[in-house]
């Protein structure tokens, strides 16, 4: 039981850190581009309590981890008012891209830290737990970045696609936003359950996650000197 709890903790802790930095990155870029909403609501803090959604950040990931299922979660979205951005169309693309970009950077930081830890040759239960956290931290950040780049509202990828579309097509695409969560439920849970071969995560997210993980692992091994 204790080992199971430690494994769950080694997933939840990295997930919380990854999600908090992801959300704060949105807010910082929005503020830099003219929208102070997140700043005024004190959402630019790295304090997890300002961002944690009890269900999405703790309960759901914890249950998935205990069930040995793929772990994902969410935080309270950082508020961004598109119309307040200096250039709403392209500003929203930058705000959206900031979250995944931050996760890729965090994965690199985790890879460097894991490589240095391996290079030290130190052992022990505490360092083993730290190494497990770093391994999960790398994978979680990669997954969170690529998962959020799916062009499905309300994911970050949908804002990027919307900014790239011609204005008329973008307005049509934007009308899908109110259907975002029902669409997510259908595409990510119902369809994969009924027809596993059509699972979006397995077909479109997992392959690039594994590809990116191999490259981050190469960075770990390079730093570790193996």
């Amino acid at each position: 039981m204790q080992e199971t709890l430690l494994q769950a903790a080694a997933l939840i802790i990295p997930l919380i850190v990854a999600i908090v930095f992801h959300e704060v990155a949105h807010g910082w870029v929005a503020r830099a581009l003219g929208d102070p909403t997140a700043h005024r609501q004190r959402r630019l803090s790295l304090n997890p309590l300002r961002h944690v959604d009890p269900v999405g950040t703790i309960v759901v990931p914890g249950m998935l981890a205990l069930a040995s299922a793929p772990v994902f979660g969410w935080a309270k979205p950082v508020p961004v008012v598109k119309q307040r951005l200096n250039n709403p169309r392209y500003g929203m693309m930058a705000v959206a891209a900031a979250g995944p970009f931050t996760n890729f950077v965090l994965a690199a930081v985790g890879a460097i830290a894991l490589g240095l830890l391996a290079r030290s040759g130190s052992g022990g239960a505490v360092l083993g737990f730290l190494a497990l956290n770093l391994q999960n931290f790398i994978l979680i950040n990669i997954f969170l970045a690529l998962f959020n780049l799916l062009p499905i509202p309300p994911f970050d990828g949908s804002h990027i696609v919307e900014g790239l579309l011609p204005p008329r097509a973008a307005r049509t695409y934007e009308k899908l936003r109110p259907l975002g969560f029902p669409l997510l439920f259908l595409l990510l849970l119902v369809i994969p359950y009924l027809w596993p071969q059509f699972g979006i995560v397995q077909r479109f997210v997992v392959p690039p996650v594994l590809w990116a993980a191999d490259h981050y692992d190469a960075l770990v091994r390079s730093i570790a000197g193996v």
Side-chain angles (χ1 to χ4, degrees):
M1 181 64 179
Q2 183 178 3
E3 183 178 353
T4 301
L5 291 175
L6 286 174
Q7 290 177 347
L11 285 168
I12 294 173
I13 293 171
L15 180 64
I16 290 176
V17 175
I19 287 177
V20 167
F21 273 87
H22 180 105
E23 292 299 330
V24 171
H26 288 316
W28 274 109
V29 172
R31 184 187 182 190
L33 297 180
D35 177 20
T37 306
H39 171 66
R40 290 175 179 172
Q41 295 186 17
R42 303 174 67 189
R43 292 295 306 280
L44 299 186
S45 169
L46 292 177
N47 180 356
L49 296 179
R50 297 194 183 279
H51 305 282
V52 165
D53 180 306
V55 175
T57 316
I58 298 175
V59 176
V60 170
M63 292 178 65
L64 291 172
L66 291 174
S68 299
V71 175
F72 65 89
W74 60 87
K76 298 175 184 175
V78 164
V80 177
V81 180
K82 180 179 179 180
Q83 290 72 21
R84 290 183 176 179
L85 297 171
N86 298 330
N87 185 324
R89 179 177 172 81
Y90 297 109
M92 199 62 204
M93 289 176 63
V95 171
F101 176 77
T102 298
N103 290 126
F104 284 128
V105 172
L106 288 176
V109 171
I112 293 170
L114 184 59
L116 292 173
L117 183 63
R119 190 183 187 93
S120 71
S122 302
V126 174
L127 291 179
F129 180 68
L130 177 59
L132 180 60
N133 272 269
L134 288 171
Q135 291 168 358
N136 290 336
F137 185 66
I138 296 167
L139 286 173
I140 285 171
N141 273 287
I142 296 171
F143 181 85
L144 189 61
L146 293 170
F147 186 66
N148 272 280
L149 286 174
L150 287 172
I152 306 171
F155 288 161
D156 298 328
S158 68
H159 293 289
I160 296 173
V161 168
E162 187 177 315
L164 293 173
L165 290 172
R168 184 174 180 180
R171 287 192 293 271
T172 302
Y173 184 76
E174 189 176 14
K175 293 178 181 179
L176 293 175
R177 294 207 174 278
L179 303 174
F181 282 104
L183 190 62
L184 283 178
F185 181 78
L186 176 66
L187 294 176
L188 300 181
L189 294 176
V190 176
I191 290 178
Y193 178 78
L194 297 175
W195 301 282
Q197 68 273 24
F198 296 115
I200 287 181
V201 172
Q202 291 298 324
R203 295 189 65 184
F204 299 106
V205 179
V206 172
V209 165
L210 295 177
W211 178 85
D214 285 341
H215 287 74
Y216 281 102
D217 183 58
L219 176 60
V220 172
R221 288 185 279 107
S222 175
I223 294 173
V226 296

